Amino acid sequence: MAVNKDHVVTLSLTAASDMSAATNLYCFVTMPTSGNGDSCHLCTATSDMPIGVLQNLPARGEAAEVVCVGVTKLRANADLTSIGGLLGTSTSARAAALTTASSGAFPVARLISIDNSDNDGRLVTALLLPALAPIS
């Protein structure tokens, strides 16, 4: 699938934790609940509000490149099968399918395509959308 990188919104934030492991590439990140809003870390709960998807592998204190809106690759759980379906974060910062039963989860993306797997699971292409409210 062709992706025009000129049509994405990215942020450069400070990594609040070490995210240099290859398994963190294309995972959801969120902002800490305290501080001045210029840092991020991997999502650790399904109720975390992702701000975007990590595009590089920063160590703690380095610049984390985050796609916030637009088309991006995502590391995913194996349960994704519905093209166009809503996605949120899992407890391991991977994309997970959302349903009306996903109370408290933030729908932040739509599944565009299921891509090849790598040595750490499935990769998908998704359209990231701003998170507005959790599923209730």
Side-chain angles (χ1 to χ4, degrees):
M1 166 179 275
V3 176
N4 184 336
K5 295 288 185 180
D6 294 335
H7 293 87
V8 297
V9 175
T10 61
L11 290 175
S12 183
L13 301 168
T14 302
S17 59
D18 183 12
M19 298 186 283
S20 62
T23 55
N24 295 330
L25 188 63
Y26 305 128
C27 286
F28 282 119
V29 294
T30 189
M31 289 181 163
T33 55
S34 61
N36 59 9
D38 66 350
S39 64
C40 66
H41 59 84
L42 294 170
C43 291
T44 59
T46 58
S47 59
D48 283 349
M49 184 187 339
I51 59 156
V53 175
L54 187 64
Q55 302 294 304
N56 66 340
L57 298 172
R60 182 185 177 115
E62 293 181 346
E65 299 303 319
V66 179
V67 169
C68 300
V69 177
V71 176
T72 184
K73 295 286 185 200
L74 259 173
R75 195 163 297 282
N77 287 339
D79 64 346
L80 299 184
T81 57
S82 179
I83 302 299
L86 291 173
L87 305 175
T89 188
S90 69
T91 57
S92 59
R94 295 170 182 242
L98 297 182
T99 67
T100 55
S102 303
S103 182
F106 287 86
V108 292
R110 302 217 44 178
L111 181 61
I112 294 175
S113 67
I114 299 170
D115 303 327
N116 294 327
S117 296
D118 68 4
N119 62 354
D120 189 51
R122 179 175 286 178
L123 294 174
V124 300
T125 300
L127 173 62
L128 292 181
L129 308 165
L132 300 176
I135 295 172
S136 57

